[in-house]
Amino acid sequence: MIDIRPIGYVIGLLVAVLGLTMLVPLAVDILDNRGHWNVFAESAVITLGAGGLTALACHNGNREGLTLQQTFLLTTGVWTTLPIFGALPFLLGETDASFVDAFFEAMSGVTTTGSTVFTGLDDMPRGLLLWRGILQWLGGIGIIVVAMVFLPELRVGGMQVFRSEAFETMGKILPRARAIAAQIAVIYVGLTIACLLTYLMLGMAPFDAAVHALTTTSTGGFSTRDASFGAFSGGMEYAASVFMILAALPFVRYVQLLNGNTVAVWRDVQVRGFLMTIGTLVAISTIALLHIFPHHWEQALRESLFNIVSIISGTGFASVDYMTWGPFLITLFFFIGLIGGCAGSTACSVKIFRYQILFASIRVQIKRIHSPHGVFSPRYEGRPLSEEVLGSVMSFFVFFTVTLGVFSVALAMTGLDFVTALSGAATALANIGPGLGDTIGPAGNFAPLNDTAKWLLCAAMLIGRLELMVVYAMLTVQFWRG
């Protein structure tokens, strides 16, 4: 039988921490004298109480060693539990949100998806706007730790290629998480502060700059405006593009950079592949946009750069309604969202390293066809790839495609049209934010969708954020048999 005490202890502590962070938007609402602070006071009491009591009840469990089953349960449990408590301010606040809407918004925040069901953001209490940003910021640092600590050990989707030689046993997974989280937190906070100061220097209002700094470095995409980044233009779009790219790079490389290894970032094949992909896509998009904005090459370049970086990193900001850019670019944007950033970053979707491994495997297969007696092995960063890694990556692609199809059909069965169903499933599973079409496109939101569709999208966000296999493994009989 699985001992759930270590799981409950960690989840309880994280819920309690979430309750403490509610005091920040509470203070903002008190300063605004809007009478909305009591919502966060009530939410904080409930969240702190539930988290504290859970941690207290489970404190006598073994917290230094986790079995494989416990690690799977902990990872999924955290991303399922935090949105429930994160939804409380939306449920009790001025948004008049139903539980499904409140949970959808919180799940979208914690998974850094960025899809929203709320309108009237310009007039929403600032405490709630800040809370949306905090949820994404916490979700961003959380997924970095999960991607660097848990997923490689769980051998999910080829992530075992990033296993650290310094920590090889599951029994040390929690001390490892604490050590890595401490290093990453310093870099993450520093990047957020740098983004905040940049926005301020470019003329963004202090509150807008604070919230957008939180949602930029987490590649989350929540905004304080209904127009998203369309309310800001010029230099702010370039600045946001830079910080979205930085947040989509492997954070372990920043740790190495701080430790004196100045070439580690550029030597990473993920980084080079990611930057080259962005450069190619921006060039293609800019050329296509010059037909829409003739003689306005700077605008074409700026809008292409910002929106492509926003989608490929999974941030989900939109500075324009790119649904008006024509069928070629609309189709391109759909597939850009299925690329993703680098592993070990706040970015989402399939991830660039999986495509690199896929293409390496394809090249080897072509060589074997040309030279049947030759001995060829796919390599990644100069190292030969094991059959385990190759099989794991190929399985991820198959499961991702099948999952996308299943959710698309399920959403269509709720009454959504083809474009909304397909792009909705893709944006939730890849944690992007906006979909395509008039309803959930960059100029719309998810409020008009029916409750069943919203629950399906919540499930897709969770599955996609945890790299599919973490959730699917728990649905097998073998998992529960140990």
Side-chain angles (χ1 to χ4, degrees), residues 98-123:
S98 64
F99 178 73
V100 61
D101 283 347
F103 184 79
F104 181 98
E105 196 77 6
M107 178 64 79
S108 180
V110 172
T111 58
T112 71
T113 302
S115 304
T116 184
V117 293
F118 292 152
T119 56
L121 298 178
D122 300 73
D123 299 318

Side-chain angles (χ1 to χ4, degrees), residues 341-352:
C342 301
S345 71
T346 61
C348 49
S349 196
V350 175
K351 303 289 194 311
I352 200 78

Side-chain angles (χ1 to χ4, degrees), residues 160 377-378 383-391:
Q160 58 266 46
S377 176
R383 296 172 296 175
L385 292 167
S386 67
E387 290 298 323
E388 178 193 9
V389 171
L390 290 173

